[in-house]
Amino acid sequence: MIKVDRSRQIFTLALPIMGGMVSQNILNLVDIFFVKSLGDVALAAAGIGGFANFVSVALILGVSTGVQATVARRMGEGEKSKLAIPLNTGLFIALVAGLIFASVLYFATPFLFPFLNNDPQVVVQGSSYLQVRMLGLVFIGLNFAFRGFWNGINQSKIYMSTLIVMHVINALLNYMLIFGNWGAPELGLEGAAWGTNISLLCGTLLYLYLGLRIARPNGFLARIPSKDEIVQMIRLSLPSGVQQLFFSAGLLAFYGIVGRIGTTELAAANILTNIMLVCILPSMGLGLASASLVGQALGRKDVEDASQWGWDVTKVGFLLIGALSIPMCFFPELVLAPFSPGPEVLEAARLPLIITGLYMPLDSIGLILLNSLLGAGDSKSVMRISMTLQWAIFLPIAIISVELAGVGFIAVWGMQAAYRLMQSIVFSLKWKQGAWAAIKI
C-alpha cells in the first residue's frame, strides 16, 4: 500500500500534468472529429502527417528531459537561484535546432512523403498538411523546454493551464479554417495544420510571459548559456531525443506497415492510436511526476526514497489505467462511434481496441518506469532498451509477417501489444537493479 501523504504528493504533481497531456490528445480527437468529414483519405493523411511531424521534432523534444532532470536535481539540492539556468540552455538549443530542422524539412517533405504511403491522394494531401506543420516545429521545442522546467519545480499547474489555452485556440481555429466558418478562408486539411501552428505560437508567448513573471529570481534569461552548459545539456538530452526519434519513427513505420494492408485499416489505426493516447497519457503524466520526485530525492542523496517513488507511482498508474481501459474492453463500438467515418473503419478497429484495453494497464508500468529512469539521468539505458525492442524485434517481425505471411491488421496490432508488454518487463527489471542511482548530473 502507498502512504496517504505520498499518494497526495503524487497526485498534486501528476494531476495537472495528466490533465494537460490528456487535453492535448482530446484535441487530437477533436481534430479527427472535424477531419473525418473530409473523408478517409484526409483522415489517413492527417494521421501520417501528424506522426511524421512528431518524428521531425523528436530529437529536439529530448531537451525537455534534460531540463527536467537537471532542474529537479537542483531543486533537491536547494540551489533555487540557479533553477532556470537549465531552462535558458534548453530554450537556446530548441531555438537553434528547431530553425535548422524546420528549414530543411519544409523543402524535403514533398520528396519524402511518398515513401510513407503509396496512395497518390494520401500523398498529395499529406504532403501539404505536413509542410504547414513544419512551420510550427520550433515552437514545439520551445514549449517542451518550458514543460521540463515547470514540472521540475513542481509547478505543473502552469503547464496544464497553458496547454488548455492552446487547445481552446486550436479547436476554434480548426472550426474556422477547415470549413471557412466565421468569415475565415476554407483551407480543408491545411486549416487544421494552421490552427495547430498558431496555437503553438500562442503557447510559446504565454510561457515567455510567465517565465519573466515567475522565474526571473531563478535566473531566467539572465544570460546566454555557456559552452559547458550547452554541452552538458546536449549530453543529457540527446539520448532521450534519439529514443523519441526512433520511437516516433517506429510509429511512422508501423503506419507504413498498416498502410500496406489497406487505407481503411490505416484510418482505423489513426483513430485507435489517438484513443489509446488519450487513455495512456495519464501514465506519461505520472511518469513525468515520478521523474521530478526521483530527481529531487537524488538531489537530497536519498536513493531509497527515489527508488520507492518509482514503485509508488507505478502502483497508482496501474490502477488508474486499469479503470480507464474498462470501456474499451466492454463497449468498443461506443468508444469508436464518434470518430469513425463509416462502418468499415469501425469494424476494422473494434477488436484491436479491445486488445488495447487489455494490455494498457501493464503498459503503464513500462511508461512510468521509463520516465523514472530519465528523471535519474539514465537516458542512455532508456534509449538502448526502447530502440532494441522496437526496431530489432517488433518492427522486423511485423513487416515480415505482413509481406511474407499476409497477416491482417488484428494480428499486427496484437504484435504491438506483445512488444509493449515486453518493454514493461525490461524496465521493471532495470529499475529494480538500481544502477541508475549512481548517475551524476
Side-chain angles (χ1 to χ4, degrees):
M1 294 294 292
I2 306 173
K3 294 181 179 179
V4 175
D5 59 331
R6 292 178 74 86
S7 297
R8 186 181 299 113
Q9 194 169 348
I10 290 170
F11 280 110
T12 298
L13 180 56
L15 281 176
I17 303 175
M18 291 161 55
M21 299 187 81
V22 169
S23 71
Q24 182 170 343
N25 273 79
I26 288 175
L27 190 63
N28 289 340
L29 290 177
V30 171
D31 288 351
I32 290 176
F33 180 80
F34 286 131
V35 171
K36 75 172 186 179
S37 65
L38 302 177
D40 289 3
V41 171
L43 190 60
I48 297 175
F51 276 110
N53 181 74
F54 186 64
V55 171
S56 303
V57 77
L59 266 179
I60 305 174
L61 298 187
V63 75
S64 179
T65 298
V67 170
Q68 182 171 349
T70 308
V71 169
R73 190 71 66 95
R74 300 295 173 265
M75 187 85 168
E77 294 168 351
E79 297 186 8
K80 293 187 177 182
S81 64
K82 300 180 181 179
L83 284 179
I85 302 302
L87 173 60
N88 298 338
T89 308
L91 291 173
F92 179 82
I93 294 171
L95 178 62
V96 173
L99 289 173
I100 294 172
F101 285 9
S103 300
V104 173
L105 293 172
Y106 178 85
F107 294 103
T109 291
F111 303 99
L112 297 177
F113 204 96
F115 291 100
L116 304 178
N117 190 269
N118 55 10
D119 186 323
Q121 295 182 36
V122 172
V123 170
V124 170
Q125 293 196 40
S127 295
S128 60
Y129 171 82
L130 183 57
Q131 275 193 303
V132 176
R133 289 293 304 271
M134 288 300 171
L135 299 176
L137 191 149
V138 66
F139 302 121
I140 299 177
L142 295 174
N143 289 349
F144 267 74
F146 274 111
R147 186 189 80 173
F149 175 72
W150 299 125
N151 292 343
I153 64 171
N154 297 341
Q155 292 293 326
S156 51
K157 291 181 180 179
I158 294 176
Y159 162 61
M160 181 190 72
S161 58
T162 304
L163 268 183
I164 291 174
V165 171
M166 291 168 56
H167 297 338
V168 170
I169 294 172
N170 192 6
L172 291 173
L173 290 174
N174 277 346
Y175 177 73
M176 293 170 59
L177 297 175
I178 292 175
F179 306 110
N181 291 314
W182 300 343
E186 183 178 349
L187 302 179
L189 186 58
E190 287 188 20
W194 280 113
T196 300
N197 287 349
I198 296 171
S199 69
L200 287 168
L201 171 60
C202 292
T204 301
L205 296 175
L206 182 55
Y207 276 138
L208 284 171
Y209 167 76
L210 293 171
L212 290 170
R213 181 180 175 184
I214 297 171
R216 289 291 285 181
N218 307 121
F220 179 59
L221 298 185
R223 59 177 175 81
I224 297 175
S226 68
K227 178 182 177 181
D228 290 342
E229 289 167 344
I230 294 173
V231 171
Q232 168 70 6
M233 183 60 66
I234 292 176
R235 183 190 66 79
L236 188 60
S237 303
L238 186 59
S240 176
V242 171
Q243 179 261 325
Q244 292 192 61
L245 171 63
F246 276 86
F247 172 73
S248 54
L251 284 177
L252 197 57
F254 178 68
Y255 266 48
I257 293 171
V258 173
R260 291 176 178 271
I261 300 173
T263 300
T264 297
E265 288 77 9
L266 184 59
N270 184 27
I271 295 171
L272 285 165
T273 300
N274 280 281
I275 291 175
M276 177 185 70
L277 288 176
V278 167
C279 296
I280 209 66
L281 278 180
S283 296
M284 295 296 294
L286 286 165
L288 290 172
S290 181
S292 291
L293 294 167
V294 167
Q296 291 166 15
L298 291 175
R300 299 190 302 268
K301 312 298 183 185
D302 193 342
V303 174
E304 183 178 350
D305 190 47
S307 177
Q308 191 58 46
W309 277 124
W311 294 123
D312 285 349
V313 178
T314 297
K315 295 172 187 175
V316 172
F318 181 82
L319 294 174
L320 178 61
I321 302 304
L324 290 174
S325 66
I326 291 174
M328 301 167 68
C329 295
F330 294 99
F331 310 104
E333 292 87 356
L334 292 178
V335 175
L336 291 167
F339 313 108
S340 175
E344 291 185 357
V345 174
L346 190 150
E347 180 58 30
R350 189 184 67 83
L351 185 54
L353 183 64
I354 296 174
I355 295 172
T356 302
L358 292 174
Y359 81 79
M360 274 194 351
L362 293 172
D363 186 42
S364 69
I365 297 173
L367 288 170
I368 292 170
L369 293 179
L370 178 155
N371 282 279
S372 300
L373 288 165
L374 292 176
D378 197 5
S379 53
K380 291 182 180 179
S381 291
V382 170
M383 177 186 69
R384 288 194 297 266
I385 292 169
S386 298
M387 290 174 57
T388 299
L389 292 176
Q390 187 180 30
W391 283 91
I393 299 176
F394 164 57
L395 289 174
I397 292 175
I399 188 63
I400 290 172
S401 298
V402 170
E403 292 296 327
L404 299 183
V407 303
F409 180 48
I410 294 173
V412 172
W413 197 265
M415 294 174 194
Q416 178 180 243
Y419 134 68
R420 301 295 294 178
L421 294 176
M422 187 183 302
Q423 178 172 271
S424 293
I425 293 172
V426 175
F427 279 127
S428 296
L429 294 173
K430 184 69 179 176
W431 188 254
K432 185 177 181 180
Q433 290 171 356
W436 45 267
I439 296 174
K440 305 296 182 183
I441 295 180

